[in-house]
Amino acid sequence: MYKIVSRLLIYGDMQKGTILMELADIVRQMDEGTQKKEELVTRVFTQMKHLLQVATDYGFDKNLWHNYLTFLLITNENPFSITCEKVGANEGSVNYFAKGDFCAFKELFDYDFSKLEEYLGVDCFSRISHYQAIGKKELMYNKNVSEKVQALSLRLEQALDENDFFDSVTGFYKDYGVGMFGLNKAFRISSGADGDVVFHAINNMDTVMLEDLVGYEIQKKKLVDNTTAFVQGKKANNVLLFGDSGTGKSTSIKAIVNAFYPQGLRMVEIYKHQFQDLSAVIARIKNRNYKFIIYMDDLSFEEFEVEYKFLKAVIEGGVETRPDNILIYATSNRRHLIKENWSDRDDMENGNGMHRSDTMEEKLSLVNRFGVTISYSKPSQKEYFHIVTELAKRAGLEMEEKELCAEANKWELSHGGISGRTAQQFINYLLGMQR
C-alpha cells in the first residue's frame, strides 16, 4: 500500500496522521519487520476506530474502506478538483497527472488486506467490507452526504480503469463541488495559529423553512426575490432585515439558506469582532463555484465602536469591487445600525436652506449601502393569535381556539410581550406539558 500511496501526485499532500497514510505506514512496517506485531495490531485497531468514527459521522455502510477513499477524493481541495468544480474536466495537461493518481486510487480500492490480516491475526478489514450501520440518522448539515458518497463509491468500485475513474470523479466535482463547501451549508470562521482565516462547518444548523414562519409574506417575498436573482447570476443587493426582536429575521435567513442550498447557496456567519477578517474571508471564497451569503446577526454598533468602518469598506467603497458570488445579509433591531444621540447634531451646518450633520451622515452611510432593507415589525394581538393558532395546528395540539388564545395572552404578558418567538415558546410549553 505504501508503494501505491507514494505514487500520488495531485492528491499526495495528505497529512501524516490520516487513516490512509497510517495504514500505508503499518504495511511498510510489516514488510520491513521493523515493528512488533503487538504494536502493529494496536495501530491497526486505532485506525479502524477512526474509520468507524467517520462512518458513524456520515452514515456510511456496506464497504467502509471504499466509502472512506471516496470521501477523501470528494473532500480534497486542490487546483485540479477546484477547476473541475468550476468548469468541469477539460483537455488540459493536468489530466495526465490526475489519471495517474486515479490509477493509484483504483489499486487502493482493490487492495487485498488478507496478507495484513493473516500476519496480525485480525479480521477487521474483512468485517468492514460489508458493514451494516445501526440506525443511520439523517445528518442535519447535509442529509444527502451519505447517499452521494455511497453512490459514487459504487460507481468507482465498478470502474474498469483510470479513465472510468476520471469521468466519475470529475463528474461529481462538476455536479456537487469539492471539499467542505460542497458538503455543508453554513460556516463560521476563526483565526488559525499563523493568522490565516479557518472555516468551520456548522453541523447542527436549524432545518427551518420559510413556510414555517407564519405571516410576514411581503417580507419573505422580498427576500426570496433578491436571493433568487443572486443564485441565478443576476444582479442582486445586500440585504438588511431590521425590526423588533423575535419577529423572525434570523429565522428567515436560515430558511433562505435551506431553501437555496441545492442551487449552490452557502452561508458564512461572521461576528462583529471578526470584521477585520472580512477581506481575507472574501479572498478565500470569491473564486469558488458557489454563491455565498456573509451573514451578520443582530448587527448594531455603539458610538465608541469603529468596526462598522471595516464593513463599509467591504460592502461598497473599497478599491476592490465585491465579487459577484458574495452578498451580505444582516439582521438588526436598529434601523440605522449605529447608536445615534442628540449630540450628533452638534456639528450641524446651515446654509441656503440646507441642513447637514457630518456625524449623522457618517452613521447613516452604513445602512444606505444595503440595497434592500426589510422591516419586521411586532405583530398586532390579532396577528399574534393567528400565529399561535397556526403553530398549534401544525404541532397537532387539540385545544379550543378561544382557550388557546386566552392562554397565549396570559403567556405573552409574562414572557416578553407579543412576538413570533413568544408564540413559538408558548407552543413549546404546551407540547412539553402534554402527557
Side-chain angles (χ1 to χ4, degrees), residues 359-426:
T359 304
M360 292 173 63
E361 286 293 324
E362 167 76 6
K363 290 187 172 183
L364 292 176
S365 63
L366 175 57
V367 70
N368 291 336
R369 300 190 183 197
F370 288 89
V372 175
T373 55
I374 305 175
S375 173
Y376 281 69
S377 58
K378 185 177 295 186
S380 65
Q381 188 174 65
K382 181 179 179 181
E383 291 170 333
Y384 171 68
F385 288 154
H386 170 68
I387 294 173
V388 168
T389 54
E390 184 63 28
L391 291 177
K393 186 187 303 181
R394 295 178 183 180
L397 284 170
E398 296 181 1
M399 192 173 180
E400 290 292 336
E401 183 174 334
K402 186 176 181 180
E403 181 185 0
L404 182 67
C405 292
E407 292 299 319
N409 187 51
K410 294 177 185 177
W411 178 270
E412 63 90 2
L413 289 173
S414 58
H415 291 83
I418 293 174
S419 72
R421 179 183 296 149
T422 304
Q424 184 63 65
Q425 291 170 346
F426 171 63

Side-chain angles (χ1 to χ4, degrees), residues 44-207:
V44 165
F45 285 169
T46 298
Q47 297 312 310
M48 191 59 54
K49 179 182 177 181
H50 294 165
L51 192 58
L52 291 172
Q53 184 62 55
V54 172
T56 301
D57 290 342
Y58 292 94
F60 298 156
D61 59 7
K62 299 179 181 177
N63 194 315
L64 299 191
W65 175 241
H66 292 172
N67 289 337
Y68 167 70
L69 292 175
T70 304
F71 184 73
L72 283 183
L73 285 168
I74 68 175
T75 55
N76 192 304
E77 297 182 0
N78 56 63
F80 173 75
S81 61
I82 292 176
T83 299
C84 290
E85 172 190 277
K86 296 188 69 174
V87 299
N90 50 44
E91 298 301 322
S93 300
V94 71
N95 289 0
Y96 171 80
F97 301 108
K99 289 182 179 180
D101 279 15
F102 292 154
C103 182
F105 263 100
K106 179 161 176 38
E107 291 181 42
L108 290 172
F109 260 74
D110 300 334
Y111 188 80
D112 185 2
F113 285 97
S114 61
K115 180 181 177 181
L116 179 62
E117 289 184 321
E118 182 178 352
Y119 178 76
L120 298 179
V122 300
D123 65 350
C124 48
F125 293 101
S126 299
R127 297 284 182 181
I128 64 168
S129 64
H130 47 271
Y131 183 78
Q132 292 183 338
I134 301 176
K136 288 199 301 181
K137 64 179 180 179
E138 180 180 289
L139 301 175
M140 294 182 67
Y141 59 90
N142 186 341
K143 66 180 181 180
N144 295 318
V145 171
S146 177
E147 288 81 358
K148 287 178 181 177
V149 170
Q150 291 184 95
L152 178 59
S153 177
L154 182 60
R155 290 202 301 273
L156 296 179
E157 287 176 7
Q158 300 169 349
L160 299 177
D161 52 26
E162 65 271 20
N163 293 313
D164 279 355
F165 222 93
F166 179 90
D167 292 340
S168 296
V169 175
T170 56
F172 185 94
Y173 290 155
K174 179 60 177 174
D175 292 339
Y176 301 110
V178 60
M180 66 162 59
F181 293 130
L183 297 178
N184 298 278
K185 297 177 184 177
F187 309 86
R188 292 192 181 95
I189 66 166
S190 67
S191 297
D194 54 359
D196 291 339
V197 171
V198 179
F199 286 79
H200 306 277
I202 299 175
N203 293 339
N204 58 343
M205 182 175 168
D206 193 350
T207 56

Side-chain angles (χ1 to χ4, degrees), residues 185-289:
K185 297 177 184 177
F187 309 86
R188 292 192 181 95
I189 66 166
S190 67
S191 297
D194 54 359
D196 291 339
V197 171
V198 179
F199 286 79
H200 306 277
I202 299 175
N203 293 339
N204 58 343
M205 182 175 168
D206 193 350
T207 56
V208 65
M209 300 301 288
L210 280 172
E211 51 267 27
D212 297 329
L213 181 63
V214 182
Y216 299 98
E217 299 303 325
I218 295 175
Q219 290 88 338
K220 290 189 290 186
K221 186 178 186 306
K222 287 183 179 180
L223 192 59
V224 168
D225 288 347
N226 191 74
T227 309
T228 299
F230 178 48
V231 299
Q232 291 178 353
K234 301 176 183 177
K235 291 293 183 180
N237 287 296
N238 300 306
V239 179
L240 172 64
L241 286 68
F242 70 93
D244 299 301
S245 61
T247 51
K249 302 182 296 294
S250 300
T251 299
S252 295
I253 301 293
K254 297 171 189 174
I256 280 291
V257 176
N258 288 328
F260 288 91
Y261 165 71
Q263 300 177 45
L265 185 66
R266 305 291 185 266
M267 181 177 76
V268 181
E269 184 174 23
I270 293 184
Y271 302 108
K272 186 163 51 178
H273 68 277
Q274 298 172 320
F275 283 178
Q276 60 186 1
D277 297 323
L278 272 170
S279 296
V281 170
I282 291 174
R284 286 281 301 277
I285 62 180
K286 66 180 181 180
N287 292 321
R288 298 305 298 267
N289 195 33

